[in-house]
Amino acid sequence: MKIAIILGTRPEIIKMSPIIRECEKLGVDRYILHTGQHYSFEMDRVFFEDLKLALPEYNLDVGSGSHGEQTGKMLAEIEGILLKDMPDIVLIQGDTNTVLAGALAASKLHIRVGHVEAGLRSFDRSMPEEINRIVADHVSDYLFAPTENSKRHLLDEGIPENKICITGNTVVDAVYQNLEISKQTRHTLSKLDLEKGEYFLTTVHRAENTDKKDRLSSILIGFEQIYRKFRLPVVFPAHPRTVKMINKFRLKVPGGTKVIEPAGYLDFLQLEDGAKLILTDSGGLQEEACILGVPCITLRDNTERPETVDVGANIIAGVNGNIAHLAEKMTASETNWDNPYGIGNAAKLIINKILD
Ligand code: UD1
Ligand code: UDP
């Protein structure tokens, strides 16, 4: 049994890491094919170092580009490698262009495809991720759905039940495997002069927010409102895309918002765990906030993670509402919700299913 693990971006490295560890534990033959969609040190290499992962056997260095250009390059190059290696199964995770290219390349070569984090739907096809999710799910042979809800979406689209397996989300494994290490080895808060529970944490990178001046500007205004109301810093490890667009639109980052470089996973877990509240348009952060018991405000008009809203951990705010008021409401509520994403054994369930 040979498994090809295809990944290319920050969240894929993090969420695939428990699967890579599980393969190592069981001595399963696997290799990593990195598309190079993310390539800056702080978006890529730092995660291999923090998570103590061996470097990928292949790196395609595809880099940034338009959707067609980026996906097309990946598709051609992944095909070449799969033809040479002919793994028994290809694993992909999530909803990026890397996932789309990996799923298409493998399925057309009649190599079985396992989609980790299958069945998520925002029902908003203007999001590139939604297109990637739908296509990947429909060409996959194994659909590893994190929750009952995601399984239901797949069934509703006519995917046979025997292809679907509910596993929880590997992000729980990643948080549980790394939080303690992070607490013991990092002093992130003191380095940044922050006190636990005395700051807000934010990330923004979604195309619909960064590429529209009015939305990006509204988000920054929201941070200003938060600072005015609470007099606590808003810590903003900014994705390179967001920095680029803030500069391009000549927007001013408000006082009280502290822009820093994107953090490695061990530092970032500390930042999340210690935050009073997380404001984000990230998928992974909505989940991690929920797992860590930190309230979250989602700076989008919808989410493919409704489980976090259902348990009371998250609220969908858009970008134009009264963010400070919502922050007041979320920080005043109970945080003892149940984690809907499983008990941290998703990687084990996925690898067992494949070996079966
Ligand atoms: C991609 C995924 C998104 C995922 C996110 C995780 C798609 C369509 N989007 O978005 O679903 O949530 O990754 O972070 O697959 N850049 C750098 N260095 C890097 C990578 C990117 O500077 O290492 C900059 C470049 O200016 C690039 C821009 O960020 O043009 C966008 O990168 P891209 O990979 O196209 O999309 P992300 O916004 O990162
Ligand atoms: N993350 C990180 N450092 C940061 C920002 C995010 O390690 O500065 C991690 C975060 O803990 C989560 C993942 O990156 O596991 C989320 O990635 P991102 O928000 O880029 O993508 P998405 O989840 O929206 O696809």
Side-chain angles (χ1 to χ4, degrees), residues 244-256:
K244 185 172 80 180
M245 297 313 283
I246 287 175
N247 291 335
K248 183 174 168 196
F249 293 140
R250 296 174 191 275
L251 296 173
K252 197 173 165 303
V253 175

Side-chain angles (χ1 to χ4, degrees), residues 26-326:
L26 299 179
V28 176
D29 188 9
R30 58 93 192 139
Y31 65 89
I32 301 176
L33 194 170
H34 192 322
T35 59
Q37 178 170 348
H38 283 177
Y39 46 86
S40 304
F41 176 83
E42 65 279 5
M43 298 299 289
D44 172 25
R45 187 72 179 261
V46 68
F47 299 102
F48 286 88
E49 293 184 2
D50 274 12
L51 297 164
K52 299 208 179 340
L53 301 174
L55 289 180
E57 280 72 7
Y58 298 96
N59 194 323
L60 307 181
D61 283 326
V62 164
S64 306
S66 68
H67 285 277
E69 186 192 357
Q70 191 181 52
T71 314
K73 274 191 202 161
M74 290 176 192
L75 186 57
E77 299 218 19
I78 295 172
E79 184 181 65
I81 291 170
L82 295 181
L83 269 173
K84 183 162 72 69
D85 285 346
M86 275 298 172
D88 297 289
I89 181 164
V90 160
L91 286 183
I92 48 173
Q93 191 286 330
D95 53 19
T96 65
N97 287 347
T98 292
V99 168
L100 177 64
L104 286 179
S107 62
K108 292 216 166 177
L109 293 173
H110 308 296
I111 298 171
R112 282 173 298 162
V113 180
H115 187 198
V116 178
E117 204 179 74
L120 274 64
R121 295 290 182 269
S122 66
F123 301 100
D124 174 1
R125 290 206 185 190
S126 68
M127 289 180 71
E129 290 86 0
E130 184 76 353
I131 309 285
N132 295 345
R133 283 180 204 121
I134 293 171
V135 176
D137 282 339
H138 283 263
V139 299
S140 288
D141 303 278
Y142 297 94
L143 293 112
F144 299 113
T147 63
E148 280 288 348
N149 187 46
S150 35
K151 176 176 176 179
R152 201 173 57 246
H153 293 149
L154 298 169
L155 293 174
D156 288 349
E157 290 175 16
I159 293 180
E161 187 161 15
N162 62 5
K163 288 187 172 185
I164 308 168
C165 177
I166 297 180
T167 58
N169 196 308
T170 58
V171 74
V172 183
D173 310 28
V175 170
Y176 290 178
Q177 287 171 12
N178 296 293
L179 186 61
E180 223 20 70
I181 302 175
S182 148
K183 283 182 179 164
Q184 278 163 23
T185 58
R186 304 291 158 127
H187 307 284
T188 317
L189 266 50
S190 56
K191 267 197 200 151
L192 291 169
D193 213 8
L194 298 169
E195 297 280 341
K196 192 169 167 64
E198 298 291 312
Y199 64 93
F200 293 84
L201 177 69
T202 188
T203 73
V204 178
H205 74 279
R206 201 65 57 198
E208 78 222 36
N209 284 336
T210 57
D211 296 5
K212 291 190 185 138
K213 186 177 177 185
D214 56 334
R215 285 187 73 95
L216 194 50
S217 164
S218 296
I219 289 172
L220 294 174
I221 290 168
F223 297 164
E224 188 166 23
Q225 289 170 1
I226 298 248
Y227 182 65
R228 281 226 194 104
K229 180 152 215 119
F230 294 87
R231 290 284 155 196
L232 293 176
V234 179
V235 181
F236 185 6
H239 189 295
R241 171 183 204 136
T242 316
V243 173
K244 185 172 80 180
M245 297 313 283
I246 287 175
N247 291 335
K248 183 174 168 196
F249 293 140
R250 296 174 191 275
L251 296 173
K252 197 173 165 303
V253 175
T257 297
K258 191 171 171 155
V259 176
I260 60 172
E261 290 280 303
Y265 196 50
L266 296 179
D267 284 323
F268 197 71
L269 277 177
Q270 291 276 300
L271 285 173
E272 287 185 290
D273 193 44
K276 184 177 182 71
L277 173 90
I278 292 176
L279 302 118
T280 192
D281 61 10
S282 157
L285 262 79
Q286 291 174 62
E287 294 159 349
E288 286 169 346
C290 181
I291 295 161
L292 292 166
V294 177
C296 180
I297 291 183
T298 293
L299 302 167
R300 287 174 44 190
D301 302 325
N302 51 50
T303 183
E304 57 293 312
R305 273 100 175 163
E307 297 87 350
T308 58
V309 179
D310 293 345
V311 298
N314 186 13
I315 189 164
I316 308 304
V319 297
N320 293 313
N322 187 340
I323 296 285
H325 173 68
L326 293 177

